[in-house]
Amino acid sequence: MTTFSAVVTTGIYCRPGCGAKPLAENVRTFELAAEAEAAGFRACLRCRPYRVAGPVGADAPELVCRAVQLIIAGVLDTGTEAALGRRLAVSPRHLRRLFHDHLGVTPDQLARSRRAHFARRLLDDSDLTVADVAFASGFGSLRQFNRDMKLVFHASPVELRGRRRKADRIAADGGLRMRLPFVAPLHWEALSAFLAERAVPGVESVRDGVYRRTISLDGEAGVLEVERGGDDHLLLTAHMPFWEGLIHVVDRVGRMFGVDADTAPAEAALADDPVLGPLLRKRPGLRVPGAWGFFEIAVEAVLSQYSVRTRVRRQLAALVEAVGQPVPGLEHGLTHLFPSAEVLAQADLAAARLPAATARTLRGLAAAVAADETLLDPGASLADCTAALTALPGIEQSTAQEIALRLGHADAFPATERTVEMQLLEHDVFAVAGRTAAAWHPWRAFAATHLIAAGTPSPAA
């Protein structure tokens, strides 16, 4: 876990490895940059701590982790702490108390810090105008942008742009490039193999070490490309119709690859496990993969419930071709946007040549998500999430767990997912799989990811 050192005598906080050498008695330690800022410290100009990943500790209560996921999704960009509390069924006072006790900041302070740090990175790395940076970073107005940047960085956006270093700017042949920092290591090969195995034909591709996909922003098409950029960051190239809300695009990409994840507690807890220990050592830094579109991965999980992977890919290709929105002129096999729940709920699935049982389950899922988008809400508890999914006709418990894993639930475990089953059989623990998986609590999603990675081939070039 990254910690930040704040020097009382200077009012500055630094990231690990900074060349500053303050006296130990003058140093305070904070787990989050936002916590240091809330205490009145400003970022060091030498080590620039806003440019490193600062994951929320995995040992925080589930409610706090769910609230953080909703903040990352933008709930507080235009909403209030009271609205966030209602989503989580707690009072805003209780929510603030939990945040103060476990993170040292209020929800609003965390959201403000995330927006300000993202804006500072855009001011450093891109040539977007100051106004574009403000709205790309989730600020509601230029006045709010200027106020918060001065509060966090003690300087105006124009002054901060003037201080950027020449080496920070990332040139791109079209689109906009950004670094996605992470705490090393991150096992890119295993993550990209996982996504390649589940890539939706026409919507996603993994070739030559680059993950690409189409996205829809207010009905307009865009394309994202992600690749390894260095030992401490991935490189995102975004081709978008507009830059407003870019912060949430980047956050969703970061969630896919787990750049903000703190894997240390899970690795420490499972390092001596006879099944998982060797797998962890083989793939250090493997993160639990998230998802760009929650409905998209739910559809893939439902199809996988009925069919083997090769057939699922054919079904996904037929589904996308039949009801997905075409996006002409793209390369790397990208041809369509993935259909929304509303479109799929009304679509004639006969063109996709799905078996009757599969089509019924898929149509029921689409109708349910179209009627209630919170069905796939990452802010729900694992128990509530899986209960809501299994209440839909045809969706089994393991399928619900597989969806929950991609939604970010740390203890989800799809016991009958085919690769998980095969790996448990290979390790001669399938007969006691339930007891074995129980011993992996509360890191079962991490355990399942390593099992799946062990049985997943590397993506073809």
Side-chain angles (χ1 to χ4, degrees), residues 26-66:
N26 293 330
V27 175
R28 293 175 60 189
T29 300
F30 297 95
E31 291 189 356
L32 294 176
E35 185 182 6
E37 292 158 2
F41 294 92
R42 62 181 175 85
C44 174
L45 297 179
R46 178 188 299 175
C47 67
R48 301 186 294 173
Y50 59 88
R51 296 183 68 85
V52 302
V56 172
D59 56 349
E62 182 191 15
L63 182 64
V64 172
C65 294
R66 287 160 51 198

Side-chain angles (χ1 to χ4, degrees), residues 103-352:
L103 304 182
V105 293
T106 67
D108 276 333
Q109 287 170 333
L110 179 63
R112 180 181 65 205
S113 179
R114 288 186 63 85
R115 287 193 296 265
H117 286 205
F118 184 82
R120 183 70 189 271
R121 287 164 53 201
L122 282 180
L123 290 169
D124 285 352
D125 296 354
S126 78
D127 289 330
L128 294 181
T129 67
V130 169
D132 281 341
V133 169
F135 296 112
S137 303
F139 289 97
S141 68
L142 287 174
R143 176 176 295 181
Q144 180 195 21
F145 178 44
N146 279 278
R147 183 192 67 225
D148 286 357
M149 295 301 282
K150 287 180 180 178
L151 190 63
V152 173
F153 293 110
H154 298 227
S156 71
V158 172
E159 291 170 331
L160 295 171
R161 169 58 65 80
R163 295 177 187 171
R164 73 170 173 174
R165 303 172 189 178
K166 290 182 179 179
D168 290 338
R169 182 178 176 274
I170 308 177
D173 184 15
L176 181 145
R177 280 191 171 181
M178 286 197 69
R179 299 175 180 91
L180 304 181
F182 57 79
V183 177
L186 181 147
H187 206 290
W188 169 254
E189 292 76 17
L191 275 173
S192 58
F194 182 101
L195 295 171
E197 184 78 355
R198 290 157 181 77
V200 179
V203 175
E204 300 175 284
S205 77
V206 181
R207 299 181 182 179
D208 302 323
V210 182
Y211 170 86
R212 298 179 177 89
R213 69 160 297 123
T214 60
I215 62 171
S216 176
L217 297 172
D218 293 339
E220 299 290 331
V223 174
L224 303 176
E225 303 176 8
V226 185
E227 58 192 302
R228 177 179 282 282
D231 291 338
D232 63 354
H233 69 278
L234 301 179
L235 194 61
L236 165 67
T237 305
H239 306 268
M240 295 168 52
F242 48 83
W243 301 119
E244 184 175 352
L246 173 65
I247 184 173
H248 302 305
V249 172
V250 174
D251 282 336
R252 287 172 72 176
V253 173
R255 181 179 60 213
M256 288 182 68
F257 296 97
V259 296
D260 283 341
D262 179 14
T263 62
E267 290 171 344
L270 302 175
D272 295 329
D273 184 271
V275 174
L276 292 176
L279 302 183
L280 268 62
R281 289 186 286 274
K282 188 173 182 180
R283 297 175 184 83
L286 177 59
R287 317 297 174 93
V288 178
W292 169 262
F294 294 151
F295 177 65
E296 185 177 311
I297 56 100
V299 169
E300 193 273 338
V302 166
L303 293 178
S304 297
Q305 176 180 287
Y306 292 98
S307 300
V308 296
R309 185 71 59 193
T310 52
R311 190 180 184 194
V312 168
R313 288 182 65 83
R314 292 196 298 270
Q315 291 173 336
L316 284 169
L319 193 64
V320 165
E321 186 174 354
V323 297
Q325 178 183 329
V327 184
L330 301 182
E331 299 178 341
H332 308 290
L334 303 180
T335 58
H336 289 76
L337 298 176
F338 194 83
S340 66
E342 292 78 9
V343 168
L344 202 56
Q346 302 297 324
D348 180 7
L349 299 182

Side-chain angles (χ1 to χ4, degrees), residues 70-93:
L70 290 173
I71 290 170
I72 291 172
V75 168
L76 292 184
D77 282 3
T78 55
T80 63
E81 289 182 347
L84 177 60
R86 284 194 295 272
R87 289 280 293 270
L88 298 165
V90 297
S91 70
R93 181 178 179 181

